[in-house]
Amino acid sequence: MTDSPKLSTSSRLSESPSPPPLLPETSSAAASVPTRVITTSEPDNPSTNPSSTTVLPVPTSPRPFSLSRKSLRSRKSKMNGASMEAEESVMDSPEDDLSALGYLEFDILYDSNQCTLQCRIIRARNLRAMDRNGFSDPYVKLHLLPGASKSNKQRTKTINKTLNPTFNETLTYYGITEDDINRKVLRLAVLDEDTFGHDFIGETRVQLKRLTPFEWKHFDVVLEKRLPTGDKPDDIIDERGRLLLSLMYSVKRQALVVGIVRCAALPAMDHDGFSDPYVKIYLKPDPLKKTKNKTNVKKRTLNPEFNQEFTYPIKLGDLLKKTLEVTVWDRDYGKANDFIGGVQLGINSKGEKLKHWYEMLRNPDTKYEKWHGLVNEEFHDSS
């Protein structure tokens, strides 16, 4: 058997082109790739075949590549490579879409003694640009849900022309009871303020029952797309607002001292979305109606502060026969005033109202403050 002459690589390539040896067919994909055959000699290993055949792919000129979703999907359908699958999943990732809205950092504190909910808005980061100049004019709006009352909404100041605003602003809700904490949600929305309207950027929500009383809880969250408020007619409780009332019996003055401190979350009774509230106080029965008093009117507010006290000279034992009636009204001009809500305290009351009244009777010269929910019930002889 005659040995085939050894040829160098350069001599083989310089020969006239001849058809390459047929190779076993591996797959349709491999068969479609152009190849060239190079035979090299191995003089240092005479025991092996004096020549070996190597198949190399022929380099081709690169084709333009488009990153459009349409081209990615069409190429993905033709290729089974894992890299194409990963490319498509990254572009369609919902996390990427959400992070494009930005981040919001804030703290929340619930004080069950004072019945206050404080929300400290610290800063926002990497907000979506909503204006043509590549910036936004962001502010943060707070909303207690459920509840469609305007008094449940608060907002920060607006920071102009920035995507990374620093607010360092604390917003406070008053009259928040433990029942509110167990059933309400705080919605924080970031908006862009424009001359004509406001553009929504993103929002987040906090279940208030996650809070621990008297402890600040820190949040640094990714903003989400707009979510439904969930305020259905059957879910909304008829809330007429809350009243912070103080009671004390003064032994020295032999009198009942009633303090109207403030109201919170009153409903809007006027067309401009506000009310002009004032409070009436009446210690009954009182046939001559000499015990009727009222506070000053606070204009255009749903969270008025009064800080007014009224004194009723009376013996301590006689208070067992009396009922304190407190009603909140909206002052109107040229027509009858609108009733907002009221509360009654006395020995015939129930729950927190009865407890408040008995604390005052049992501990003279001690002031007791409590929040009471207003009911939509106009009491007899209150007008």
Side-chain angles (χ1 to χ4, degrees), residues 158-201:
T158 300
I159 309 295
N160 294 318
K161 295 183 180 179
T162 179
L163 301 180
N164 299 281
T166 298
F167 298 98
N168 287 328
E169 190 170 346
T170 300
L171 304 175
T172 304
Y173 285 98
Y174 295 93
I176 303 299
T177 63
E178 291 186 5
D179 179 64
D180 294 325
I181 293 296
N182 290 329
R183 66 184 181 88
K184 285 186 177 289
V185 174
L186 181 63
R187 174 179 184 250
L188 300 94
V190 181
L191 298 100
D192 167 56
E193 185 168 8
D194 290 327
T195 306
F196 305 101
H198 307 270
D199 297 324
F200 178 85
I201 298 177

Side-chain angles (χ1 to χ4, degrees), residues 76-100:
K76 176 185 169 184
S77 63
K78 296 178 182 179
M79 300 181 65
N80 295 324
S83 60
M84 293 300 297
E85 293 278 358
E87 183 82 21
E88 184 72 12
S89 64
V90 167
M91 294 191 66
D92 290 337
S93 171
E95 287 78 9
D96 283 1
D97 293 338
L98 289 178
S99 62

Side-chain angles (χ1 to χ4, degrees), residues 33-48:
V33 179
T35 59
R36 65 179 179 178
V37 180
I38 299 177
T39 305
T40 57
S41 59
E42 299 181 0
D44 297 334
N45 190 6
S47 62
T48 60

Side-chain angles (χ1 to χ4, degrees), residues 67-76 84 88 91:
L67 287 178
S68 67
R69 292 177 180 269
K70 184 176 180 181
S71 62
L72 281 174
R73 290 192 179 97
S74 61
R75 292 169 69 91
K76 176 185 169 184
M84 293 300 297
E88 184 72 12
M91 294 191 66

Side-chain angles (χ1 to χ4, degrees), residues 224-241:
E224 304 177 55
K225 297 178 181 178
R226 190 191 300 271
L227 301 172
T229 60
D231 281 350
K232 301 178 182 179
D234 295 338
D235 297 335
I236 299 178
I237 298 176
D238 184 21
E239 295 182 344
R240 308 299 293 180

